Amino acid sequence: MLFQLEGSQAVARAVALCRPKTVCAYPITPQTHIVEGLGELVRSGKLTDCEYINVESEMAALSVAIGSETAGVRSYTATSSQGLLYMMEAVYNASGMELPIVMTLGNRAIGAPINIWNDHTDAMSVRDAGWIMLFAETNQEAVDLHIQAFKIAEKVKCPVMVCVDGFILTHAYERVDLPTQEEVDDFLPPYDPHISLDPKNPKAIGTMVPPGYFMEVRCLAHKKQIDALNVVECVGNKFKEKFGRDSGGLVREYNLEKAETVIVTMGSVAGTIKDTIDELNQKGGKYGVLSIVSYRPFPAEAIRKALKKAKKVIVLEKAFAVGIGGILFQEISLALKNTKTEVKSVVAGLGGRAITSDMIKEYLNHKNHDDMVFLGLNKEVIERECRLLDKGSCDCKSSF
Amino acid sequence: MSKSSNPFAIVDDAGTSRANKTGSWKTMCPQYVHRMPPCNATCPAGENIQKWLSLAQEGKIRKAWEVMVNDNPFPAVMGRVCYHTCERACNREQFDGAVHINLIERSIGDIALESEWKFETPKEHSGKKILIVGAGPSGLSAAYFLRKFGHEVTIYESQIKSGGMMRYGVPRYRLSRAVLDAEIRRIIETGVKLVCNKRVTHLKNEIDNFDAVYIATGAFMAAKTDIEVKGNSCTVIDAVDLFKKLENGMDMPNLGKHVLVYGGGNTAIDAARTALRLGAESVKIVYRRTINNMPAHKEEIQDALKEGVEILCLSCIGMIDGNNVLVNKMDYDEENDILSVSGEKDIIQADSVIFAIGQSIDEGILDGIDGIAVSEKGVIEIDKNMMTGAKGIFAGGDVVPCKRTVTHAIGHGKKAAKCIDAYLNGVEITQNVKPEVANFKKLNTAYYKKVARAEIQKNQALSFSESDISLTERELIGEAERCFSCGNCFHCDNCYGLCPDGAIHKAEDGTLEIDLEYCKGCGICASECPCGAIKMTS
Amino acid sequence: MSNSTIGSRLSKKKNSVQSHYDRPNTLSSGHRACQGCGEALAARCAIDAAYHATKGNIAIVNATGCLEVFSCVFPENAWNVPWMHSLFGNAPAVATGMAAAMRAQGKNVRIIAQGGDGGTTDIGMGTLSGMFERNDDVLYICYDNQAYMNTGVQRSSATPILARTATTLPNAVYAGNEVGTGKNVPEIAIAHRIPYVATASIANIKDLEEKVAKAINIRGAKYVHIHVPCPLGWGYPTSETIKVARAAVECGMFPLFEAEHGKVVGSTPIENVKPVEEYLRLQRRFAHLFSKNANPQAVEELQKIASANIEKYKLSGGIANV
């Protein structure tokens, strides 16, 4: 059924359709509306048999989910930015214990300087934590990915993080098609935990693992994620079969057949880019867009396949690694190693800086792209501040 | 879930740690031990006091009595007259007062008499005949044990009645004759041939009819003194003679109103208290050293003082002149035990003087028997197996060197019986190595609650009926529960409950076992064992 | 018999769970705790008691620490009950989740969270307070050995003043741990007005068992704080774990009490109050307080704490024999 909903409310209702038994709530902008929405659904009796727990921190939020999942029920929480960092220890813990928790990450910058607006730095900080990470482009996709996320998590025995751009999606009112409870129930059977704390069959979960076994545990975690590529794709196909929408899978291709230059990106900005290249392609441009839906596991093979005709790849991302550069850029470069495709890095939209069509056009109009570009930068400020920097001077020589 | 479905190294099955045998860590190893409880260690009769206390705690009075009479056929008597070295040794004395072992023994002994519990008569007969001379505590005890071994026993007793010093040395207000008679009867009923009023003058004439002889004639001869007695207005009598007359119902000497007793032992106290009961108005004990040096037991002294007996210490009778008794005051160098006349004198009026300065043995019986030696101290010399220099002739009790208490005599009787039995069977007695004593330091008293010792209730009236009252069964169980069980496990489960490694197993019947595969040797079990029944060894 | 032993052959009814020949042994042999470990003992006693009181319907989450490490090193798990370990500071929150999940499934499985003093009074304080405040149906058991023992005896907020740890080494200037204001977590628990708070000691197993058994069947948040001496960290012979625990109780340093809904409702009186010095002298971590140049004021400071406890929790009618 179609609704005009705020993104957060849409996500809340999608999560509710998945019948979680515990929902842990702790506020942080821009995620807060999601758990508010779920709270309302529980209190109004629309989501039944669900324990809604107001916790005292994000660390507790994910820890409660770890506890409830270990005790055998489907569990959900949501966070953003600093909150994700605050629960970081538990993030690794949840995946290490193979707990199929689903968590929404309302993507937001990380301070200092404190900033509540959208970018992907938070998600990038947990890219190696062993979670499956899915990025939504639209609120419809956010809804659909959450429904798929539980199925993937429980199939792979791995937590799934659904990344939804803060404000841009979470606070945007859009038209979304929400499936019915029956449809979701049919798609997502009740949770059958593969491990649980059962007095009749007592086991220890989360034991200390000495060096003699640890390497194998980690290697198995990697193999599991690689295998999960297949699961993500398969669940996406099943979802499409059932709901008629192509909103899952590993990557989303746009106009790649004829494209010479492909912009690779993640999340909601793909929409702006698609609009921009539509305009350019009408004037004879040969541009395409590749959105990464499954950031973890990283679909290197699918990416290589999708980009095999591209001459130039521009990786536009909302995060970067200080001291080295674009993160997705490095990963795409790695996926395209041994090909002749040229790969360029664009860092954009940090801390909520708008990414406009004009900016993208301006960038694409340049013939020769720098290896790395900060899009829409106030160059005057940078130049002024750089002049003030004591460039690389160091007393170490004089001290000898 | 089957084991194979566990995610590798994320989930682990229960109790798998048992594969890790932590016993290999230990450098010290706990071991259950049986240490000698101090009560048992000091009992002259060799009673297993702790064992019968433990049975009494469980309310198993009959069983407790059976354990008791395994070592001592006179529990009711001993419960009255024993000077209970056990209680002085009792570790509880350092905590909240010794367990009142003596009173419990008395009370159980009384229950046995009331219930008419009997000794078993021997089922097998050895065909050996033994003569016991003297039906005192030692002779009767020996008779009891020899009967247990299946031997034929004959006792010749010179007095009209059996019992020896139990009858003629212990006044009836301390030991009711009904109790004494009943306990003797119980022994005789096992098939002992007792002939009273038969004085053996020449043992030589008797020995050919027996395979072994036990001389238990005691020390009945009053010690001789050289105190000058002028005139006959003052009655002078020996304590033993006085008791004999009293017990045998003979004419009693007139003690008069003012009685002096000379001596400091239990006999002196008994004589003084007897004199009070015979109607004396004043009774004074004259003793050479200080009150603290009196060989008599403290409780006895206290009881006498309570009844009104006076004690004149550092005093020595010099002469009895009519009713004037000359008393020399003494100086006493306690450190070197040297007595000297101070020069100070006193005259005390007395109607009678009772001598209680010791007894000696009658050596006449030994005439004509080769090899039996009598020591300088006037007692028969015996070897470690209680045999005299004459083969097959054994001796015990007051005729041999010993402390001359009923308890020692009973102990001698038991030991002599064992030695005689071994002699008759031609075997050597093997001495068991005695385990170390569980002294107070070996205990952990943190687990014991302080409980007041049961005190003796007394009849206040001054008479010849028994002054002390036994405990009821409930009371005696309560008092028995105070036993620390020093040195022997009483199944408190501390070791089992406090082992951090679960390395002690308890069976359904309560049996405990240390599992050395897991014991890390921390030593908590040993240090938290209340009674010192666990030892750490390297 | 009125003796305070673990069991007694004379009065089987009043005997502790630890004396049962068929006790659950929830923490089984083969665990890797040091010799004489007070925590290992307390854990078995407490969890056995909970097991006994619930017919085995319990599940445990364990904070990181000695207990977690020594009881469960793959492939050797010493627990005979459902047990999990997540992190150092999140056990109360994990337990909240477990309790919620059990409730959601309609299962009557009682939830226990447990940890050492570090995991409880320091890093776990936030989640602990959250769990208390929400009155989640969890029994939290703190095994207090008064320092970070697992990492090699560093100071925690439960370390007594003036005690020596690896991070509070005494020297000519410093006399061990700082003399701060202290952090009384049982009192903090009481301040949350949760249904039940108790302190317990391995010197009194029956009391410990009774408190755990009572707590486990109460709905809502419960806190039991157990004093568990550590031979390695405190410096005393391995055989003296119980002796040291007993000394702590007998001098008033570790008061035994119970509180319900924010109020202290009872305490275990000390029969014969001992001076705190007797307790301190048993342990090397306080040895510097008795050296030649020691300031006698230091022992006084500790005595003040013990005396204040005695007064506050009404542990004795008499005055400490100081």
Side-chain angles (χ1 to χ4, degrees), chain A residues 51 56 63 71 93 205 208, chain C residues 74 86 90 103 105 127 134:
Chain A
E51 298 285 332
E56 74 285 353
S63 297
N93 195 249
I205 302 170
M208 165 162 280
Chain C
F74 185 82
S86 174
N90 73 346
R103 199 165 47 238
Q105 296 171 98
T127 49
R134 291 185 300 269

Side-chain angles (χ1 to χ4, degrees), chain B residues 367-442:
Chain B
D367 287 352
I369 303 174
D370 293 337
I372 299 189
V374 175
S375 73
E376 275 178 21
K377 288 186 174 172
V379 285
I380 298 172
E381 287 180 351
I382 49 171
D383 66 9
K384 65 177 177 22
N385 291 328
M386 305 199 72
M387 193 152 81
T388 65
K391 215 177 162 203
I393 301 180
F394 295 76
D398 289 1
V399 290
V400 302
C402 80
K403 281 196 170 164
R404 292 193 174 174
T405 70
V406 173
T407 321
H408 282 89
I410 290 171
H412 274 191
K414 178 170 84 172
K415 187 179 174 192
K418 285 183 181 166
C419 293
I420 291 167
D421 185 60
Y423 164 79
L424 293 175
N425 292 321
V427 294
E428 281 285 309
I429 285 196
T430 48
Q431 294 289 322
N432 290 335
V433 182
K434 286 196 174 165
E436 70 176 324
V437 172
N439 57 27
F440 193 75
K441 278 188 181 166
K442 299 253 179 341

Side-chain angles (χ1 to χ4, degrees), chain C:
Chain C
M1 205 187 281
S2 55
N3 294 334
S4 58
T5 48
I6 297 293
S8 161
R9 71 188 205 291
L10 299 177
S11 60
K12 296 216 158 53
K13 266 184 229 159
K14 288 181 204 153
N15 284 348
S16 60
V17 176
Q18 281 311 297
S19 74
H20 297 177
Y21 77 92
D22 56 352
R23 70 180 183 208
N25 276 326
T26 50
L27 180 66
S28 65
S29 301
H31 66 68
R32 294 154 186 255
C34 303
Q35 288 144 319
C37 175
E39 189 176 30
L41 172 61
R44 190 190 68 229
C45 293
I47 304 306
D48 274 7
Y51 188 100
H52 189 255
T54 58
K55 298 190 171 68
N57 275 313
I58 51 171
I60 301 172
V61 57
N62 210 128
T64 311
C66 282
L67 178 58
E68 169 260 325
V69 170
F70 74 62
S71 67
C72 203
V73 179
F74 185 82
E76 289 159 7
N77 163 28
W79 295 98
N80 285 315
V81 284
W83 178 94
M84 75 170 287
H85 161 248
S86 174
L87 296 168
F88 200 2
N90 73 346
V94 173
T96 293
M98 287 160 66
M102 293 304 176
R103 199 165 47 238
Q105 296 171 98
K107 287 184 183 170
N108 185 26
V109 177
R110 313 297 297 147
I111 302 302
I112 299 170
Q114 59 183 8
D117 50 295
T120 306
T121 75
D122 281 349
I123 198 169
M125 198 67 219
T127 49
L128 184 67
S129 175
M131 187 273 278
F132 285 164
E133 170 274 321
R134 291 185 300 269
N135 199 22
D136 291 328
D137 193 11
V138 172
L139 165 59
Y140 192 96
I141 303 175
C142 171
Y143 303 99
D144 180 8
N145 55 21
Q146 303 188 332
Y148 290 91
M149 298 313 182
N150 194 31
T151 43
V153 199
Q154 294 81 23
R155 175 203 189 272
S156 81
S157 62
T159 303
I161 60 165
L162 300 159
R164 174 203 184 100
T165 68
T167 51
T168 59
L169 289 177
N171 61 17
V173 183
Y174 295 96
N177 189 22
E178 293 85 352
V179 178
T181 53
K183 184 174 185 177
N184 189 329
V185 176
E187 286 291 349
I188 291 172
I190 291 171
H192 285 78
R193 299 190 299 279
I194 58 175
Y196 188 73
V197 176
T199 58
S201 166
I202 49 167
N204 194 340
I205 298 293
K206 277 186 199 167
D207 178 69
L208 185 158
E209 285 184 355
E210 278 168 22
K211 285 168 175 171
V212 170
K214 187 172 173 182
I216 193 72
N217 282 320
I218 295 173
R219 303 281 146 173
K222 293 82 60 176
Y223 181 72
V224 176
H225 189 105
I226 308 176
H227 192 240
V228 291
C230 168
L232 183 80
W234 298 11
Y236 62 81
T238 58
S239 61
E240 292 186 2
T241 296
I242 309 293
K243 181 179 175 181
V244 170
R246 193 184 300 123
V249 170
E250 286 181 343
C251 71
M253 275 303 271
F254 193 82
L256 299 180
F257 60 88
E258 286 178 289
E260 290 172 10
H261 302 287
K263 276 189 186 151
V264 175
V265 293
S267 61
T268 309
I270 307 168
E271 212 167 285
N272 180 16
V273 176
K274 307 265 175 67
V276 86
E277 188 174 334
E278 278 186 26
Y279 167 58
L280 304 179
R281 279 193 184 273
L282 295 172
Q283 309 164 56
R284 266 201 317 279
R285 65 175 173 158
F286 293 113
H288 57 281
L289 304 184
F290 302 103
S291 67
K292 241 188 273 169
N293 304 321
N295 181 358
Q297 191 59 37
V299 177
E300 279 298 302
E301 288 295 327
L302 284 150
Q303 182 62 55
K304 269 191 224 162
I305 294 171
S307 301
N309 283 338
I310 288 166
E311 198 185 322
K312 177 166 188 189
Y313 301 106
K314 301 181 179 69
L315 302 179
S316 168
I319 297 156
N321 178 25
V322 188

Side-chain angles (χ1 to χ4, degrees), chain A residues 148 151-152 187 229-252:
Chain A
Q148 294 179 52
K151 199 172 175 82
I152 294 166
F187 180 74
L229 285 167
N230 192 29
V231 177
V232 173
E233 198 164 23
C234 183
V235 170
N237 289 339
K238 278 194 178 146
F239 187 87
K240 188 179 175 186
E241 239 170 68
K242 173 126 194 104
F243 299 97
R245 283 191 299 277
D246 190 4
S247 55
L250 301 171
V251 293
R252 185 127 25 264

